[in-house]
Amino acid sequence: MSTTTAAVPPSARARARTTGRKDNGRNGPREGFLPRTAAMLVMAVFTVYFLTPIWWLLVASTKSRGDLTTTNALWFSDIQLGENIAAVASYGGGVLPRWLLNSVLYAGVGALVATVLAGMCGYALAKYVFPGRELVFNVVLGGVLVPATALALPLFLLFSQVNATNTFWSVFLPSIVSPFGVYLARIFAASAVPEELLEAARLDGSGEVRTFFTVSVRLMFPALVTVFLFQFVAIWNNFFLPLIMLRDESLFPVTLGLYTWNTQVNQVPELRLYVLTGALLSIVPLIIVFLLLQRFWRTGLGTGALK
Amino acid sequence: MSTTVLDVQARNRARIKVPHKKAIAIFVAPFATLFTLFYLIPIGYAVWQSMLVIEREGTYGEPREVFGGLSQYAQVMDSGPFWESVGRVLLFGVVQVPVMLGLALLFALLLDSPLVKGRRFFRLAFFAPYAVPGVIAAIMWGFLYSPNLSPFKPLTQEVGFLSADLVLWSMANVVTWVYVGYNMLIIYSSLLAIPTEIYEAARLDGASQARIAWAIKIPLVMPAIILTAIFSIIGTLQLLAEPQVFRTFTSAVSSTFTPNLLVYTTSSVPNVSLAAAYSVVLALATFILSFTFLKVTQRKAFQ
């Protein structure tokens, strides 16, 4: 992956984006009516495809149990989203808020720690020469190709050896290791942190670790946000690890919790509405975070793919 | 391995020469420790566990774990359900990955062309499903497919989306729905990184957008497409959440539908040694497949 194209320094990319793109399409022949209509049609059709399920979920969460099956599923009837949220939040002794909190701890705190660790390691691999550097990097790259799900059972076996399954740590600790984060951080640090700056910091008497946390981190910020988002999504989506590790309902992340509710829908019919409302509650914060951070999201994705 | 005096001297010299040793240790050690603990050791332990077999003295004797060499692996190779599940995800991948990446590339090119207005809106709308975790997406689509609960009952009562014939492709649709926007964004970001001067000349010569896309843009974003392809291959082999959720909506998904589901089912029997062997084979296969794909495409695309 590291040799696919020549490295483009971030500054050059930024230039390309800010200056080169503004006149995008304004030069040359104007496109005909037919291609433009066809393109807009394709985009419109797929907008419906991508947004309908989310729209349906939103509408379904506002309905009463009776209305859910009897009224038009794609439009509101008697809106009672507030009642539904209150009901779902208190069902089963308030276990859903607990699951949401767990998810925030596993994915939010886990991704934060993972980002710091990966950032430090990637930075060292990019900026210092030491024996074993390439070995470390190659082992980490191998780790990128072994996905987290493939490790779920091996981790379960290991944690059962030390009687640590069914604990918060059995899901949290494996989640803070992000080989892909190290890879991204190394690539980005190599081009974004100039050697001269580090030399200048050294002359000023700043220690290496201090320089990293005060100067280099700022330069690496877009990449670090990307690492955070990647890891956040990876932990949030990792279903196998909590499924195999956890028995105690109060430790579940929200995905596993809603999954178990969904398996009981046939015995407990009111759970159907709770699953849908819970699903809405669990994805809305994510969509908001994604939209807020999407500028970083794109910069960083470009880095990962280009190098 | 023998260590000569020269080696030791060379190593000592190297060690003395490395500046900022303490800082490097502070930076690398935390990740290295955790990577060893939660990546390398579990893999090693799974390999070890996969070589143990349970032995009993007679039918009711105390079960003991004894070293059985590669006998579990022989069992994996002979296992019908295992190869069926592998065949299923391969079929899934051969169809779903090209469809998904084709769509992602098409959308990225359209967003990058002057043909489309309202880029910002489309980018967000297409990316939004990525915020839905696989389990939740599967639950949502499970409802949408269901003959009784779906808002599209006239359609779902006619077409058995959850029937044995179609359920694999219904899952493919869920995965596509979640990931197209994400892959689109990766490809789109690398399209943005291409300086426009590169195709200005072609444009002035009157080349159509389609021609520019085909002859200039696609070759330049090939590395991004390869990256998304590798991640998609890895993801396909690991399918678990979607089939596991669909089991609550339909009986057409068996407990051995995908390799990871088989691992889970086998480990809950419990037959952890066999499950470990499945896991090791699966991790190895994923690694080899994505690594080979990376090497082959790199040679083809950049020779």
Side-chain angles (χ1 to χ4, degrees):
Chain A
M1 260 180 260
S2 54
T3 54
T4 46
T5 58
V8 181
S11 55
R13 280 203 312 278
R15 254 199 324 278
R17 227 182 349 262
T18 51
T19 61
R21 309 306 298 182
K22 273 190 187 142
D23 57 353
N24 182 12
R26 308 275 141 73
N27 295 338
R30 203 174 142 66
E31 302 308 318
F33 175 73
L34 208 63
R36 270 186 296 144
T37 316
M40 286 308 277
L41 199 67
V42 168
M43 298 308 267
V45 167
F46 277 95
T47 304
V48 173
Y49 168 70
F50 286 119
L51 293 186
T52 304
I54 297 175
W55 173 253
W56 164 79
L57 184 69
L58 176 69
V59 171
S61 312
T62 66
K63 291 189 172 175
S64 67
R65 256 179 74 197
D67 285 355
L68 186 60
T69 43
T70 52
T71 59
N72 178 1
L74 294 178
W75 197 250
F76 303 100
S77 53
D78 190 19
I79 295 186
Q80 48 165 313
L81 183 60
E83 287 95 320
N84 286 348
I85 291 178
V88 72
S90 59
Y91 180 83
V95 78
L96 183 79
R98 178 72 205 237
W99 290 340
L100 286 166
L101 177 72
N102 288 342
S103 278
V104 170
L105 290 178
Y106 290 131
V109 180
L112 198 66
V113 177
T115 307
V116 174
L117 297 179
M120 292 195 320
C121 185
Y123 175 77
L125 289 174
K127 287 291 149 197
Y128 300 101
V129 182
F130 56 94
R133 180 172 81 151
E134 288 312 305
L135 177 74
V136 171
F137 188 60
N138 285 329
V139 172
V140 167
L141 263 189
V144 174
L145 297 182
V146 179
T149 15
L151 289 171
L153 180 80
L155 282 165
F156 172 74
L157 297 177
L158 195 70
F159 274 83
S160 28
Q161 276 304 301
V162 289
N163 288 323
T165 58
N166 198 22
T167 58
F168 174 80
W169 301 106
S170 66
V171 174
F172 183 82
L173 287 176
S175 304
I176 60 178
V177 189
S178 169
F180 188 65
V182 175
Y183 165 75
L184 263 187
R186 177 189 174 158
I187 302 259
F188 202 83
S191 61
V193 184
E195 207 61 53
E196 302 78 46
L197 200 69
L198 298 184
E199 284 304 328
R202 265 168 217 147
L203 288 178
D204 286 347
S206 167
E208 298 297 316
V209 178
R210 210 183 109 203
T211 309
F212 172 75
F213 281 105
T214 53
V215 180
S216 310
V217 158
R218 269 180 227 172
L219 296 170
M220 290 168 67
F221 199 67
L224 294 179
V225 175
T226 311
V227 173
F228 175 82
L229 283 170
F230 260 112
Q231 194 60 13
F232 185 91
V233 172
I235 302 173
W236 193 272
N237 276 336
N238 189 352
F239 178 60
F240 202 178
L241 189 65
L243 176 72
I244 204 167
M245 281 288 189
L246 303 176
R247 291 284 164 270
D248 179 359
E249 208 182 56
S250 67
L251 293 172
F252 284 3
V254 70
T255 44
L256 185 57
L258 290 177
Y259 162 78
T260 53
W261 275 4
N262 193 52
T263 57
Q264 300 159 19
V265 158
N266 289 332
Q267 294 86 45
V268 194
E270 69 258 35
L271 274 179
R272 184 170 300 151
L273 185 62
Y274 294 167
V275 167
L276 296 177
T277 311
L280 182 75
L281 288 178
S282 73
I283 64 176
V284 165
L286 270 184
I287 293 183
I288 293 171
V289 170
F290 274 28
L291 297 189
L292 289 179
L293 294 176
Q294 62 144 336
R295 187 167 62 86
F296 294 107
W297 196 222
R298 275 196 298 136
T299 328
L301 282 175
T303 320
L306 263 180
K307 308 294 175 67
Chain B
M1 269 177 269
S2 68
T3 313
T4 65
V5 179
L6 268 175
D7 274 344
V8 172
Q9 279 176 348
R11 211 171 294 153
N12 280 342
R13 249 200 328 275
R15 205 171 287 155
I16 289 159
K17 263 200 208 153
V18 176
H20 318 299
K21 225 169 63 184
K22 213 173 119 196
I24 296 170
I26 292 173
F27 287 138
V28 177
F31 179 83
T33 311
L34 290 166
F35 186 81
T36 309
L37 278 177
F38 300 119
Y39 254 83
L40 301 180
I41 293 180
I43 293 175
Y45 187 71
V47 171
W48 163 246
Q49 179 73 49
S50 69
M51 297 198 181
L52 299 178
V53 287
I54 305 267
E55 202 168 72
R56 287 168 196 273
E57 307 268 342
T59 320
Y60 300 104
E62 187 86 340
R64 286 184 303 132
E65 284 188 327
V66 295
F67 187 75
L70 296 176
S71 63
Q72 306 281 3
Y73 289 93
Q75 215 176 320
V76 171
M77 293 301 143
D78 280 343
S79 158
F82 179 70
W83 291 110
E84 276 165 34
S85 70
V86 170
R88 211 171 277 128
V89 289
L90 287 180
L91 177 67
F92 179 102
V94 165
V95 176
Q96 190 266 338
V97 173
V99 168
M100 175 178 68
L101 294 184
L103 285 174
L105 178 62
L106 174 72
F107 300 148
L109 288 169
L110 284 176
L111 282 181
D112 193 55
S113 78
L115 297 171
V116 169
K117 300 254 175 325
R119 292 197 186 101
R120 205 179 141 76
F121 168 77
F122 288 124
R123 216 173 53 212
L124 295 183
F126 288 21
F127 186 56
Y130 186 61
V132 183
V135 181
I136 309 281
I139 291 176
M140 287 166 67
W141 279 96
F143 278 94
L144 292 175
Y145 287 142
S146 148
N148 311 316
L149 311 165
S150 171
F152 310 106
K153 265 183 234 168
L155 179 65
T156 54
Q157 281 170 352
E158 284 302 312
V159 186
F161 287 107
L162 296 172
S163 67
D165 293 336
L166 281 184
V167 74
L168 187 67
W169 308 115
S170 301
M171 269 176 223
N173 175 55
V174 178
V175 177
T176 306
W177 180 76
V178 172
Y179 287 101
V180 162
Y182 165 75
N183 290 309
M184 173 195 80
L185 218 54
I186 295 186
I187 299 171
Y188 181 59
S189 332
S190 64
L191 278 172
L192 286 187
I194 303 172
T196 33
E197 297 87 61
I198 291 183
Y199 35 81
E200 223 122 78
R203 204 174 270 157
L204 290 174
D205 282 347
S208 70
Q209 288 300 325
R211 177 109 185 86
I212 291 174
W214 182 255
I216 301 174
K217 288 183 181 176
I218 293 181
L220 281 172
V221 295
M222 218 49 204
I225 298 174
I226 290 170
L227 186 83
T228 56
I230 290 169
F231 281 132
S232 307
I233 292 172
I234 293 176
T236 304
L237 289 170
Q238 304 302 319
L239 268 183
L240 174 81
E242 291 81 4
Q244 177 82 354
V245 168
F246 272 33
R247 278 169 61 71
T248 59
F249 289 100
T250 169
S251 55
V253 181
S254 66
S255 64
T256 59
F257 199 74
T258 66
N260 257 336
L261 208 50
L262 178 64
V263 170
Y264 178 63
T265 308
T266 313
S267 73
S268 355
V269 166
N271 186 348
V272 284
S273 292
L274 186 60
Y278 283 136
S279 251
V280 170
V281 172
L282 182 63
L284 209 62
T286 312
F287 182 85
I288 292 173
L289 200 62
S290 43
F291 189 77
T292 314
F293 182 80
L294 184 73
K295 284 293 152 204
V296 169
T297 46
Q298 270 188 356
R299 209 175 310 136
K300 278 229 172 95
F302 309 104
Q303 62 194 182

